[in-house]
Amino acid sequence: MTFVDEVKNAVTPRAALLVIGVLGLQLLFIASYVGALHKPKPTDVAFGVVAPQQVSQQLVDRLDELPGGPLDPRTVSSAAEAREQIMNRDIDGALIVSPEGRTDTLLVASGGGAALATSLERILTEVDASQQRSVRTVDVAPASGEDFNGLSSFYLVIGWCVGGYLCASILAISAGTKPANRQRAVIRTGAMALYSIAGGIGGAIIIGPILGALPGSFWGLAGLGALVVFAVGMTTLALEALTGIVGIGLAVLIIVIAGNPSAGGAFPLPMLPDFWRTIGPALPPGAGTWVARSIAYFRGNAVTGPLLVLSAWAVVGTALTLLLSMRHRADADPAGPAGTGTTATGAAPGPGAGGSTAA
């Protein structure tokens, strides 16, 4: 055989397509991460202004007209209300104007992302300096001393996501991407649930009692971890049931390539470009990071929406996995419920079954 013949024999069309797909994922990974994170800048940051009535609207208008639109300012009635809105995660910071002195107070929350708190301090320092005023910064929800730049919650959630799609991928590699029947799909779902509980508790133990990196409720974080792992794992199983081994690549595309840079971890959402800021809250890494920070630093506030997002991924993934397993069995068993068209193991006979329909 010539060298060309050897290549044609060794590299099947299927293998070539998979390699091309991997190359595409690699390039998308670079484009997504660099596109999201290469030039972070605050845009339309929800920001409160507490000032005497006669100057309040003027200050709001001046902040709203800053070059590049870094702030989305709105009037807040009092300093106490501003603090409460920050803790409820309705706004990311607030300026309290002193009616008597020339030193104003800037409220920030580094627990929601140190990069954003630092950017707000820089912006408001420049604004006050232009009016011959100064500003002092008060951190109302400070990140833990063991949580550098508030990144621990992000890495915790990323670890949970990795565990979810790796577990689902191992199930596919070891026993076939498409469950042979509904019972096998139920078994996989149960295995994923048990794995998710173990992963959630394990992550919470590491981040809390062992490392002391995050404060907040241990069981709250453990429950969040179980939900994140299960949501990602069941999404991956559903994609595998739908497309075979390609489903692993699709899971990487959704969770890693699209989800991680848009999660608001390294840079909070208001510092990301519009595309990533838009998709981030709808994907498991972004929803999980938001809830982890809320549990750790914001008294568990503002978690309903993100928890519903994670629950939706889990429910849809589970439903698709079970429904597709039923469709697959019907396709493999044209003889009907008597089961005469299947083998004793529930897999369709014949050379076309391969490894894709194993348990």
Side-chain angles (χ1 to χ4, degrees), residues 282-302:
L283 299 176
T289 298
W290 179 277
V291 175
R293 283 177 171 165
S294 289
I295 291 173
Y297 299 118
F298 296 92
R299 303 187 300 231
N301 292 326

Side-chain angles (χ1 to χ4, degrees), residues 307-336:
L307 287 177
L308 288 176
V309 169
L310 291 169
S311 299
W313 283 97
V315 170
V316 172
T318 301
L320 282 176
T321 299
L322 297 176
L323 289 173
L324 289 170
S325 69
M326 294 170 64
R327 186 192 72 175
H328 170 67
R329 185 179 184 183
D331 291 343
D333 187 7

Side-chain angles (χ1 to χ4, degrees), residues 2-297:
T2 65
F3 179 76
V4 174
D5 292 332
E6 286 285 2
V7 171
K8 290 180 179 179
N9 189 50
V11 182
T12 65
R14 181 172 182 269
L17 287 174
L18 289 174
V19 170
I20 292 172
V22 170
L23 175 61
L25 289 177
Q26 172 184 300
L27 298 179
L28 285 172
F29 183 99
I30 295 170
S32 184
Y33 277 73
V34 176
L37 307 176
H38 77 289
K39 192 179 179 182
K41 62 177 182 178
T43 306
D44 293 330
V45 179
F47 190 78
V49 174
V50 181
Q53 187 173 3
Q54 61 271 23
V55 300
S56 177
Q57 190 57 49
Q58 296 177 5
L59 179 55
V60 168
D61 292 340
R62 185 161 66 247
L63 294 177
D64 192 38
E65 295 169 359
L66 290 174
L71 302 179
D72 178 17
R74 72 284 311 268
T75 301
V76 179
S77 61
S78 66
E81 176 64 19
R83 288 175 178 268
E84 190 64 22
Q85 288 194 27
I86 291 174
M87 292 305 297
N88 289 335
R89 309 198 75 176
D90 295 324
I91 59 177
D92 296 299
L95 181 67
I96 303 172
V97 177
S98 172
E100 300 170 352
R102 303 194 65 82
T103 300
D104 301 327
T105 300
L106 172 65
L107 303 181
V108 297
S110 62
L116 181 57
T118 301
S119 294
L120 289 177
E121 184 174 12
R122 175 183 56 79
I123 293 169
L124 273 301
T125 297
E126 293 176 358
V127 169
D128 265 25
S130 68
Q131 302 297 315
Q132 288 76 51
R133 300 179 68 86
S134 60
V135 63
R136 70 182 185 94
T137 301
V138 175
D139 197 340
V140 299
S144 164
E146 302 297 319
D147 180 16
F148 178 73
N149 277 352
L151 290 173
S152 297
S153 54
F154 171 60
Y155 290 123
L156 172 65
V157 171
I158 294 306
W160 281 328
C161 290
V162 169
Y165 67 73
L166 282 183
C167 180
S169 300
I170 289 172
L171 287 173
I173 293 170
S174 63
T177 54
K178 300 179 180 180
N181 51 47
R182 184 178 58 186
Q183 288 74 20
R184 302 295 176 86
V186 170
I187 291 172
R188 289 190 183 188
T189 301
M192 182 58 67
L194 292 175
Y195 176 86
S196 300
I197 294 171
I201 294 175
I205 290 174
I206 292 171
I207 205 75
I210 294 179
L211 297 179
L214 281 185
S217 167
F218 168 83
W219 289 110
L221 288 173
L224 170 64
L227 180 57
V228 169
V229 176
F230 189 72
V232 173
M234 292 312 301
T235 298
T236 306
L237 286 177
L239 292 171
E240 292 167 353
L242 183 64
T243 64
I245 195 171
V246 175
I248 297 175
L250 293 176
V252 171
L253 176 64
I254 294 171
I255 305 301
V256 179
I257 295 176
N260 288 0
S262 66
F267 300 105
L269 291 175
M271 301 188 73
L272 298 180
D274 290 341
F275 173 75
W276 287 270
R277 184 195 304 205
T278 300
I279 67 172
L283 299 176
T289 298
W290 179 277
V291 175
R293 283 177 171 165
S294 289
I295 291 173
Y297 299 118

